[in-house]
Amino acid sequence: MTTIIILDDHPLVRQGIRTIVSSSPLIHVLGEAASTREALLLLEQFSPDIILVDLNLGCDNGLDAIQEFRRAGHTCKFMILTSSITRSELQLAQSQQIEGICLKEAFPEDLLYAIEVVSRGRKYYDPDLMGSLLEDASADQNNILSELTPKELEVLLALGKGYSNKEIATALFITEFTVKKHVSQVLAKLNLSDRTQAALYALSKGLVQFELQR
């Protein structure tokens, strides 16, 4: 039996979540809270396995609430429930080792599955949410690549092939000094520290493979 506490500032949402999770004979709801303070009082009375925490608690933030719970010494597992989450909030949740994130738009069976996964000691991050954030990250990377000039992109492709500055200069019919300038610009625009990282970046984006197939 997995015991849980529901923390959400909207009564109708709490009731909906309780109805869903109570449909499982393997889950028992110990109580509901509308604020961080109410949740702390419940935690003093009970020792739940999992707390379902709304990310946006009115004036409070669910991630801040979780930090407060942990500072108070509570070691249960935490699952964030949210309609949306920014990339920075996701990174913060990951850095805090939050066990689960589930979208409120998920099907009831998805929420039950997420609770089951987290109760077994594994992490559950909603696949639709992660897919959307990965698409956003990919779009950002494409925008960064579009900032490279045609010649800088050629230099990046050459770095991906492991070419030296001399080999790049010969291949592109430019001087080694010009190559060095282009390499510096590529590293700066892509926020990379050295040419090895640039080569790995080109490989990870499939740029070199694409160039070889042309």
Side-chain angles (χ1 to χ4, degrees), residues 134-151:
L134 285 173
E135 287 177 4
D136 291 344
S138 178
D140 289 345
Q141 288 296 338
N142 289 335
N143 289 335
I144 293 174
L145 279 176
S146 68
E147 295 179 6
L148 299 181
T149 66
K151 189 60 69 176

Side-chain angles (χ1 to χ4, degrees), residues 6-183:
I6 301 168
L7 171 55
D8 193 295
D9 58 326
H10 295 97
L12 286 178
V13 174
R14 291 199 305 273
Q15 184 58 49
I17 295 171
R18 176 186 276 270
T19 299
I20 292 170
V21 299
S22 296
S23 68
S24 170
L26 302 178
I27 300 174
H28 175 61
V29 179
L30 295 172
E32 301 174 16
S35 66
T36 302
R37 181 177 174 278
E38 289 183 11
L40 280 169
L41 291 175
L42 285 175
L43 283 170
E44 290 175 3
Q45 300 176 46
F46 306 107
S47 297
D49 298 309
I50 300 172
I51 302 183
L52 305 182
V53 182
D54 183 20
L55 182 61
N56 298 302
L57 293 167
C59 296
D60 295 334
N61 179 277
L63 294 174
D64 292 338
I66 290 172
Q67 284 187 310
E68 189 169 343
F69 299 152
R70 285 177 169 166
R71 282 196 296 268
H74 300 292
T75 59
C76 55
K77 297 179 174 65
F78 298 97
M79 279 187 60
I80 289 288
L81 298 182
T82 182
S83 296
S84 62
I85 186 169
T86 66
R87 195 180 309 163
S88 60
E89 287 172 330
L90 175 61
Q91 290 173 339
L92 182 57
Q94 291 174 317
S95 69
Q96 292 180 3
Q97 296 295 304
I98 303 300
E99 284 82 4
I101 300 176
C102 187
L103 289 175
K104 289 184 176 180
E105 290 80 1
F107 290 109
E109 55 267 30
D110 293 333
L111 175 58
L112 294 176
Y113 173 72
I115 292 173
E116 178 190 352
V117 169
V118 171
S119 70
R120 294 202 307 261
R122 296 167 53 197
K123 284 186 168 57
Y124 177 91
Y125 283 16
D126 192 288
D128 289 340
L129 171 67
M130 297 303 292
S132 175
L133 290 173
L134 285 173
E135 287 177 4
D136 291 344
S138 178
D140 289 345
Q141 288 296 338
N142 289 335
N143 289 335
I144 293 174
L145 279 176
S146 68
E147 295 179 6
L148 299 181
T149 66
K151 189 60 69 176
E152 288 168 353
L153 185 55
E154 286 184 297
V155 169
L156 176 60
L157 293 173
L159 290 173
K161 297 174 185 177
Y163 285 8
S164 66
N165 283 357
K166 183 176 181 180
E167 289 171 325
I168 295 174
T170 300
L172 302 183
F173 303 102
I174 55 179
T175 66
E176 286 188 56
F177 176 76
T178 303
V179 171
K180 290 180 182 179
K181 288 178 59 178
H182 284 317
V183 170

